[in-house]
Amino acid sequence: MVIFALAIIGSALGLLPVEVAFVGAATVMVLIGILTLQEAYESIDWSIIILLGAMIPVSQALESSGGAELLAGNLRQVFGQFPAAVILTVLLVWTMVLTNVVNNAAAAVLMAPIAYDMALVIGASPDPFLMTIAIGASCAFLTPIGHQSNTLVMGPGGYKFGDYWHMGLPLSIIVTAVAIPLILWFWPLF
């Protein structure tokens, strides 16, 4: 617990980047024998590492090919006459839908360049757009495959695939209703 607490304190005070602090803490735990190398290796979710490794080039291709800019331009054509809050809502909802089908990190990696280019297209700060993607990618409430926690409770809870909509849809609506005003308040558009 002390090693973990030191990693948190070190990253919270800005002494070390988060990734360095926690990898360092894990390394120290292995070196002093609290955690075996086998246990450390088995705790890594390799499917997510591989998925992210595959999605990052897709995201880069989307950005470098002009696909993100094209999608942002199309979004502007369809929603350009609406206030920025509507555009943020569309991005949030689309990211929420996507994160229920693919991993949340992959959804964020795919949607971030589109949101960034959308902000540039309408002349706004990218911060609220990127925060919208971060929040939307964290809201995998509609399917058991959207997040591993959803999958873990499916069997023991006796849930069916469609059961997740009963609580997930109202929760997604609440998140949208709360997130958009708060994003615009904490991260102004201009």
Side-chain angles (χ1 to χ4, degrees), residues 15-186:
L15 301 173
L16 291 169
V18 174
E19 58 275 4
V20 172
F22 286 106
V23 168
T27 304
V28 169
M29 288 180 195
V30 169
L31 290 175
I32 64 174
I34 294 173
L35 187 66
T36 68
L37 197 53
Q38 182 68 28
E39 290 170 332
Y41 180 79
E42 289 173 356
S43 69
I44 297 172
D45 191 348
W46 291 105
S47 63
I48 294 193
I49 301 295
I50 292 168
L51 179 67
L52 284 176
M55 295 310 283
I56 289 172
V58 171
S59 174
Q60 290 172 340
L62 189 62
E63 183 65 35
S64 65
S65 69
E69 189 177 345
L70 178 68
L71 288 170
N74 288 340
L75 277 173
R76 182 169 189 239
Q77 284 180 347
V78 175
F79 297 103
Q81 68 275 14
F82 295 104
V86 173
I87 297 170
L88 288 175
T89 303
V90 168
L91 287 170
L92 180 67
V93 169
W94 180 247
T95 306
M96 284 177 160
V97 169
L98 187 60
T99 199
N100 280 286
V101 180
V102 300
N103 178 279
N104 58 352
V109 166
L110 284 174
M111 291 300 295
I114 296 168
Y116 182 82
D117 283 352
M118 187 67 210
L120 296 181
V121 165
I122 67 168
S125 168
D127 293 343
F129 288 81
L130 294 174
M131 285 308 301
T132 298
I133 301 306
I135 291 169
S138 302
C139 297
F141 308 132
L142 301 175
T143 66
I145 60 172
H147 194 270
Q148 57 268 28
S149 299
N150 298 2
T151 308
L152 285 173
V153 299
M154 188 174 183
Y159 300 124
K160 297 180 202 78
F161 195 91
D163 291 340
Y164 287 83
W165 281 80
H166 297 283
M167 185 58 86
L169 187 59
L171 189 54
S172 295
I173 292 168
I174 290 168
V175 167
T176 303
V178 172
I180 296 300
L182 288 176
I183 288 170
L184 290 171
W185 186 37
F186 285 107

